[in-house]
Amino acid sequence: MLLLAFILASLVSFASTAPTTTSQTSTSTKVADSSCTNGPFTRQCWGNGFSIATDYDTKWPVTGKTVSYHLEITNTTLAPDGYSRLVMAINGQYPGPTISANWGDTLQITVKNSLKNNGTSMHWHGIRQANSCNMDGTNGITECPLAPGETKTYTFLCTQFGTTWYHSHFSAQYGDGVLGPIVIYGPATANYDVDLGAMPITDWYHPTAFQEAEIAARGGPPAADNGLINGTMVNPTAGGGGVYNTVTMTKGKKYRLRLINTSLDNHFMVSLDGHNLTVIQADFVPIVPYSTQWLFIGIGQRYDVIITATQAISSYWFRADVQLACGANNNNFNIKAIFNYAGAPAGDPTTLGAAYTQRCSDETTIVPYVKKNVPSGDFLTHVQQLNVSLNGGGVPGQTGNIVTWTINGTPLDIDWELPTLKYVQESNDSFPVDLNLIKLPEANAVSFLSVPHPIHLHGHDFYLLGTGLGTWDNSFASTLQYTNPPRRDVAMLPAPAAPAGGGPPSSGGWLVIAFLTDNPGAWLMHCHIAWHVGEGLAVQFLERESEISGLMSLSTLNAPCKAWDAYQPTAYYVKDDSGL
């Protein structure tokens, strides 16, 4: 098996400390009992020979059932925290409706763009899209944007199970409302009684995301005005309105809660006063359960947790604290929700939160339930380095100083009307340098990368082999975790804090990930801080290019691209960032 290696490194100012947790150490070698079905005391089962022991990378059910949704994006005005602002809402609501299906179902989702002056796209975050890259919904990579008035239907098989979200990939547009949760029901590594569903957590800005992106590009990231939990929050100003999200529990029951960080710029530590969180899934990967009081959740990450309602009948604060070294929020430490026990007296909680250490680094006790190893022999033979840097200066077509993030000196700058899959469809191999395209032609090779920021890879779960501070050295290869390393689709790089006197840190950090080239397509890998991907911090992998046209119909590109070509010359707004 050929190993391909890429290492990215940069200077950032994130502080890193570890949480206090307890963890089980065993992983499963069990096989599915075909007669066992999923229930409160048998959550590891699913049915028909599938269970929590199934490796969904290689095997999944096919139910033959198609679950359909219709999403329409419109311009409107909403006040999720009591402050009325312009929002691009899905079906008139924020967040958009939860899309749900069972493991093995086919989702068929029709998206209509009824915005007045914006294109759009819809990306299904973390969905592997096995042999269906043309449904990934990434404008400039897998499709042209959807022009106003146009409709597109996305169809894909749910080969994974767990919690994720969908969002626009049209610049910073998802920060103005174009997002919603996805729940794919399947087995779990621990039992529970009630599924509470998804609870997205986000930063929230009173100006539009496009206005804030302009500020970020010219002067650094702005502070968020507030945070939202499940689309709502109290406004901190006197008489500002808004309400806390409220959840009711019954004493003695176990509850599954699906947490999603849908932020533009803020990373959170979350906790429920007086209760431990039993973590059972990281992104789409089931893990050996572990218990913690506080849980770090980076942008784009998801955690499924179980809460056991064994405390006194009362009301308890759920807290989402923005970490000071990786985000700014004007209502920090007041971003909360209420968890009520049935029968509790009315009124806000008076509980106190447990102490914790501020940090901007991932959970360190993640052990995948299904064991998978990474071969280490060819790591150094195939290692390459991709250097991330922050630049400030002039950009062609723009006035003033513009911040760009580059990889190997180039910020990614996609072409909305000529997505990467269009090159493949036309057998055109003349890719511009600013597409930041890396070819991965060989099947079932393992690609290695080392990266900063909350990095999200489309089309794959990756193996998280190691992280560290300072500059990467090849001698570190022997210290990486090749035996059942954590797997997920978003990971954070711990990096040194800035000096007390100000200025950048003196050294950088590194994070090594690996993924198997088993999914032909054009796959974006990018920082999920919206300002950073808008400023170019992304690369794309063209995986097994010669096989793509035979696995999926690229004719799905034709009608949307034709409509976009007709719309773009008269568009009110022009592209002024990476397009992502």
Side-chain angles (χ1 to χ4, degrees):
M1 187 177 292
L2 176 64
L3 300 179
L4 306 176
F6 303 89
I7 296 175
L8 285 79
S10 81
L11 294 177
V12 289
S13 56
F14 292 170
S16 171
T17 56
T20 300
T21 61
T22 60
S23 176
Q24 300 177 34
T25 58
S26 62
T27 54
S28 174
T29 56
K30 298 177 181 178
V31 296
D33 179 349
S34 60
S35 64
C36 186
T37 57
N38 190 267
F41 302 104
T42 55
R43 293 298 183 187
Q44 293 189 341
C45 300
W46 190 244
N48 298 318
F50 295 93
S51 75
I52 198 65
T54 303
D55 177 7
Y56 67 57
D57 283 338
T58 59
K59 182 182 177 182
W60 49 82
V62 179
T63 65
K65 179 182 178 181
T66 297
V67 183
S68 299
Y69 287 89
H70 183 90
L71 307 178
E72 183 176 9
I73 310 167
T74 57
N75 300 94
T76 189
T77 301
L78 296 175
D81 68 343
Y83 182 92
S84 183
R85 55 151 290 184
L86 297 174
V87 171
M88 298 177 186
I90 300 176
N91 295 1
Q93 66 183 71
Y94 178 83
T98 296
I99 290 173
S100 62
N102 285 328
W103 187 23
D105 287 349
T106 294
L107 276 169
Q108 187 175 79
I109 307 166
T110 299
V111 178
K112 182 177 181 181
N113 181 6
S114 293
L115 298 170
K116 294 179 181 178
N117 294 303
N118 266 268
T120 195
S121 67
M122 200 65 78
H123 170 57
W124 320 99
H125 181 103
I127 298 290
R128 189 171 179 233
Q129 299 291 359
N131 297 329
S132 58
C133 175
N134 57 327
M135 295 292 147
D136 191 52
T138 309
N139 48 221
I141 308 291
T142 64
E143 64 182 31
C144 294
L146 198 60
E150 295 297 313
T151 297
K152 178 174 179 176
T153 297
Y154 297 85
T155 305
F156 52 88
L157 182 65
C158 299
T159 63
Q160 305 143 286
F161 55 87
T163 307
T164 191
W165 55 307
Y166 59 92
H167 62 84
S168 169
H169 234 305
F170 190 85
S171 297
Q173 190 178 76
Y174 81 80
D176 284 330
V178 189
L179 61 85
I182 299 175
V183 174
I184 302 174
Y185 296 107
T189 58
N191 291 328
Y192 57 91
D193 298 297
V194 180
D195 191 332
L196 293 172
M199 193 168 81
I201 304 169
T202 188
D203 48 17
W204 189 246
Y205 300 79
H206 293 162
T208 70
F210 287 97
Q211 290 172 315
E212 299 287 50
E214 181 73 8
I215 293 171
R218 295 180 183 272
D225 294 288
N226 207 341
L228 305 178
I229 296 179
N230 208 21
T232 187
M233 186 54 57
V234 168
N235 194 305
T237 61
V243 297
Y244 293 113
N245 182 68
T246 301
V247 176
T248 299
M249 304 187 296
T250 299
K251 187 176 176 68
K253 297 290 187 179
K254 292 183 178 181
Y255 293 86
R256 179 175 184 164
L257 181 64
R258 301 166 182 268
L259 302 169
I260 313 169
N261 185 345
T262 63
S263 292
L264 292 170
D265 188 53
N266 286 184
H267 303 74
F268 297 97
M269 289 283 281
V270 301
S271 180
L272 177 60
D273 290 356
H275 298 73
N276 283 346
L277 306 176
T278 300
V279 187
I280 62 170
Q281 194 152 352
D283 297 347
F284 267 131
V285 179
I287 63 173
V288 177
Y290 72 93
S291 179
T292 186
Q293 285 186 313
W294 286 89
L295 179 67
F296 176 84
I297 181 167
I299 299 171
Q301 292 183 335
R302 294 89 64 206
Y303 284 100
D304 287 32
V305 302
I306 294 174
I307 299 166
T308 303
T310 56
Q311 300 303 305
I313 294 176
S314 187
S315 297
Y316 298 85
W317 286 120
F318 178 94
R319 303 174 187 274
D321 290 359
V322 179
Q323 299 305 278
L324 300 178
C326 47
N329 193 297
N330 292 333
N331 196 32
N332 200 10
F333 307 113
N334 295 306
I335 301 168
K336 295 182 285 189
I338 298 173
F339 278 63
N340 283 327
Y341 279 65
D348 288 349
T350 58
T351 55
L352 299 176
Y356 73 94
T357 302
Q358 286 265 329
R359 64 185 177 96
C360 296
S361 56
D362 276 328
E363 295 292 297
T364 59
T365 48
I366 293 174
V367 178
Y369 192 84
V370 175
K371 289 182 177 180
K372 302 182 79 169
N373 301 328
V374 176
S376 60
D378 291 339
F379 180 86
L380 292 178
T381 304
H382 297 280
V383 66
Q384 301 178 45
Q385 184 148 333
L386 302 177
N387 294 305
V388 174
S389 59
L390 173 65
N391 300 320
V395 173
Q398 300 292 319
T399 58
N401 287 332
I402 303 292
V403 171
T404 60
W405 284 92
T406 68
I407 295 182
N408 282 0
T410 304
L412 184 140
D413 186 11
I414 53 95
D415 190 341
W416 278 336
E417 65 268 23
L418 191 57
T420 303
L421 285 187
K422 195 74 172 173
Y423 284 86
V424 176
Q425 183 187 35
E426 297 173 351
S427 300
N428 178 1
D429 227 26
S430 300
F431 300 104
V433 172
D434 57 10
L435 291 186
N436 273 8
L437 186 143
I438 298 170
K439 289 190 175 185
L440 301 176
E442 298 192 42
N444 298 316
V446 178
S447 294
F448 292 86
L449 305 101
S450 176
V451 293
H453 309 266
I455 295 297
H456 173 50
L457 176 62
H458 293 205
H460 297 273
D461 289 330
F462 51 70
Y463 299 88
L464 175 54
L465 302 185
T467 66
L469 299 176
T471 303
W472 166 264
D473 186 277
N474 283 347
S475 65
F476 300 162
S478 62
T479 69
L480 299 178
Q481 182 181 347
Y482 300 102
T483 302
N484 198 30
R487 302 190 301 273
R488 59 187 319 158
D489 57 67
V490 184
M492 294 288 297
L493 170 78
S506 59
S507 61
W510 53 269
L511 178 152
V512 178
I513 64 175
F515 64 94
L516 192 67
T517 56
D518 59 355
N519 195 13
W523 304 114
L524 182 67
M525 187 185 76
H526 64 97
C527 175
H528 223 297
I529 296 173
W531 323 134
H532 292 180
V533 66
E535 292 156 5
L537 207 173
V539 297
Q540 58 175 311
F541 299 105
L542 187 56
E543 183 176 336
R544 296 163 62 176
E545 177 184 5
S546 64
E547 302 174 46
I548 294 173
S549 296
L551 293 171
M552 63 201 75
S553 174
L554 296 184
S555 64
T556 56
L557 292 160
N558 297 342
C561 286
K562 182 178 179 180
W564 183 257
D565 288 346
Y567 165 75
Q568 183 165 264
T570 59
Y572 185 80
Y573 297 110
V574 298
K575 177 175 170 291
D576 60 0
D577 62 5
S578 73
L580 295 163

